[in-house]
Amino acid sequence: MTQTRGTLLGLAAILLWSTAPSLLRLFSESAGAVAGAAMIYTLASLMLLVLRGWTPLRLYPRRYLLIGGALFAGYEVALALALGFAQDRTQAIEVGLLNYLWPCLTVALMVLNGRQRAKLWLAPGLLFSLLGVAWILGGGEGWSPAHIAANAAHNPLSYGLALAGALLWAVYCTAAKPLAQGTDAIVPFFMLTSVVLWLKFAASGAALPAVGGVGTVAALLCAAAVMALGYASWNRALAHGNLALLAAVSYAAPVLSSAFSAAILRTALPASFWQGAAMVTAGSLCCWWATRRTA
């Protein structure tokens, strides 16, 4: 019964996280990319504080707080701003999908540093995920480097931040467990992310946007809630759930997140996008299978 409850919480976390990019984008359209993200992470921090409580910082390993905190905040800030700075909703969904390169990048890093063995399936899996992103950026016109570069050049900041975020999260996933030594600093990490975003907003010199309207407030509350509840549920799942099942389901998140984003943002996506999303998912599953079979 305990494992079933833990597994259900893990599945709920995957569903919640799949809605987060579109909700963050939705609120940022009203509040601005930086201020909007700062508000969401501040509210999510307060929610996590209520759900998880506060652990004194001295009880965490110092290297975990410094290195893990920098990687976590760097990832969250990069993804939030990549979504917020996207030129339109379609581009925001593409940026969100680019973020999902992190699962196969995580596996590749673990293999490179000797912490995970893998069969030859890893290489084609990683390549297939990259080709899926290239297919989307190429608009289904093929894998022409010139065509892909031309599309990415429309907003290099958003695409660059999303790619950097995927790499940062892959490094975090690889490094966090040995650094943490059994602790979990998700609450102070969320607070650090909020502080970084507010500092960036203050440096911009912009005025604090007025947040009004039921729809805007609802988007803020929902975005913060899915992040806080997602992380809180996932931690319980890691402790008690069926990790093999959750790992397999999590690799379907690119398609799931894209479907939620298309519905929430009311955006029709071309067939080439769904083809690319399926390729990213298949490539990630291939990477997972390559390591699972040698475990």
Side-chain angles (χ1 to χ4, degrees):
M1 189 65 180
T2 301
Q3 186 184 57
T4 301
R5 188 181 297 112
T7 302
L8 289 175
L9 284 172
L11 295 174
I14 293 170
L15 287 173
L16 288 167
W17 282 334
S18 295
T19 67
S22 53
L23 291 171
L24 197 154
R25 169 67 190 189
L26 198 62
F27 183 66
S28 71
E29 290 178 352
S30 299
V34 182
M39 292 179 193
I40 289 172
Y41 280 92
T42 299
L43 184 55
S45 298
L46 294 174
M47 291 178 176
L48 276 170
L49 189 59
V50 172
L51 289 169
R52 300 289 305 279
W54 176 256
T55 300
L57 296 181
R58 58 184 170 77
L59 298 181
Y60 297 107
R62 183 174 298 180
R63 293 179 71 241
Y64 173 47
L65 287 177
L66 295 176
I67 300 174
L71 290 170
F72 183 95
Y75 163 72
E76 297 291 348
V77 170
L79 178 60
L81 296 187
L83 291 165
F85 288 141
Q87 294 172 339
D88 53 43
R89 291 182 171 184
T90 299
Q91 194 174 84
I93 297 174
E94 291 180 358
V95 163
L97 182 69
L98 185 57
N99 167 67
Y100 279 106
L101 284 175
W102 71 262
C104 54
L105 291 176
T106 300
V107 174
L109 287 175
M110 293 185 71
V111 171
L112 287 174
N113 66 21
R115 290 177 52 196
Q116 178 73 61
R117 296 180 60 194
K119 290 188 176 181
L120 293 177
W121 284 41
L122 177 64
L126 181 57
L127 179 61
F128 207 54
S129 285
L130 293 172
L131 289 178
V133 171
W135 185 257
I136 292 170
L137 293 181
E141 300 294 330
W143 290 294
S144 164
H147 192 74
I148 293 168
N151 278 351
H154 290 159
N155 191 351
L157 178 60
S158 279
Y159 288 112
L161 284 170
L163 186 58
L167 183 57
L168 282 170
W169 192 246
V171 175
Y172 175 83
C173 291
T174 305
K177 187 174 182 178
L179 288 172
Q181 298 177 22
T183 60
D184 180 10
I186 190 63
V187 175
F189 285 178
F190 253 78
M191 291 181 172
L192 174 62
T193 303
S194 304
V195 170
V196 171
L197 286 165
W198 281 120
L199 287 175
K200 179 169 177 54
F201 177 74
S204 71
L208 190 66
V211 178
V214 175
T216 302
V217 173
L220 170 61
L221 292 173
C222 288
V226 298
M227 289 186 179
L229 292 174
Y231 277 101
S233 299
W234 188 251
N235 279 334
R236 290 293 301 275
L238 290 180
H240 304 292
N242 185 330
L243 296 185
L245 174 62
L246 292 175
V249 174
S250 68
Y251 283 113
V255 172
L256 193 61
S257 180
S258 299
F260 276 122
S261 294
I264 293 173
L265 297 177
R266 300 179 182 179
T267 303
L269 298 170
S272 60
F273 177 90
W274 295 111
Q275 292 163 358
M279 292 168 68
V280 171
T281 300
S284 295
L285 276 170
C286 189
C287 290
W288 169 74
W289 185 256
T291 56
R292 178 180 178 271
R293 295 191 65 179
T294 57

